[in-house]
Amino acid sequence: MTRSQWALAAVVAVVMAVAVCGGVALARHAGRSSAVPDACPRHWEDEGIGGWVPAGPDVDGADESLVPGSPVRALICAYPGVNTDPGGERLGGSRTLTDQAAAMARDLAYLPVTTGEVEHVCTLAGGPMTNYLVRFAYADGSALWVGSAEEVNSCVTTTNGEARTSSYVGTALTAAYRGGTWRMPRPDDPCRGGGDRRGQEDAMVPEEPDWVLVCLDGGEKWPPRREHGAAAARRLAAVLDDLDTVPSGHGCQGGGPEADDREYRLVFGYAEGPPAGVRVAYGCTPGVDNGMLQADVGDDVRRLMARLTP
């Protein structure tokens, strides 16, 4: 073989090696994507209410957000049943959202999440229940599932297979499935709002709020409240964030008949996204709870709250 023939053979070998390596990379990517089914499973293959997906996510950041990035399509699969005998529900129907997918993904991405277990304190009313799977598809061909449910006790785990939350989205999912429009419900009175915001798994009040609404929760339909601007909101947030926290057990121990039993709902607002909610109960230990974290009230909280309460 001549020198030119050897050179040509070497070039061909390199090209073939590159092609083979490229083929392996594409095959790996194709295999990873095919692990996320592109159609609704025929059955809900779990015994839980929400909290299940048929395949792990194929999207970066899925351990930090329920729906990272910007999906272009959302396939909603519905599995109706009853909460007294959950598991194995048959597919009842599906709906595909396109122009609503980005808003749906944004709202779910704002929810606080954990990769650990989600604890619930649930009422036990029996009634109808619908498990939901939502397949979010992205322009690059990747996808992820989110599993959740609508249930009379609002006691649901929502997950993408890695991140999970106890924040309830069942009502919004049912409305989107039935009517084709996604919208997170908002309360008539902000003092009654859920106040679940991304970051509350790490801090009692995440980021820098623009205002805070301090509501005295005494059982009234429209409880007394005072609204304060950014300066007061951020001072209060800083004091709450300085507390020693533990994962929320969604409950507290009463302080006895002589205890101060005042209870407040704090709603911290932001320029974008949902509010962050914190409950402060003086007669309980631990008395500060944001749904993900709990802490004791502390003297600094009491002193600042005394100037801000209605």
Side-chain angles (χ1 to χ4, degrees), residues 109-143:
Y110 262 118
L111 298 177
V113 297
T114 178
T115 54
E117 294 299 316
V118 172
E119 293 189 14
H120 298 279
V121 176
C122 303
T123 53
L124 299 176
M129 173 270 309
T130 300
N131 279 314
Y132 287 104
L133 289 172
V134 184
R135 185 185 190 273
F136 289 96
Y138 295 78
D140 65 357
S142 59

Side-chain angles (χ1 to χ4, degrees), residues 21-33:
C21 291
V24 169
L26 290 172
R28 286 175 180 168
H29 180 74
R32 188 161 59 99
S33 296

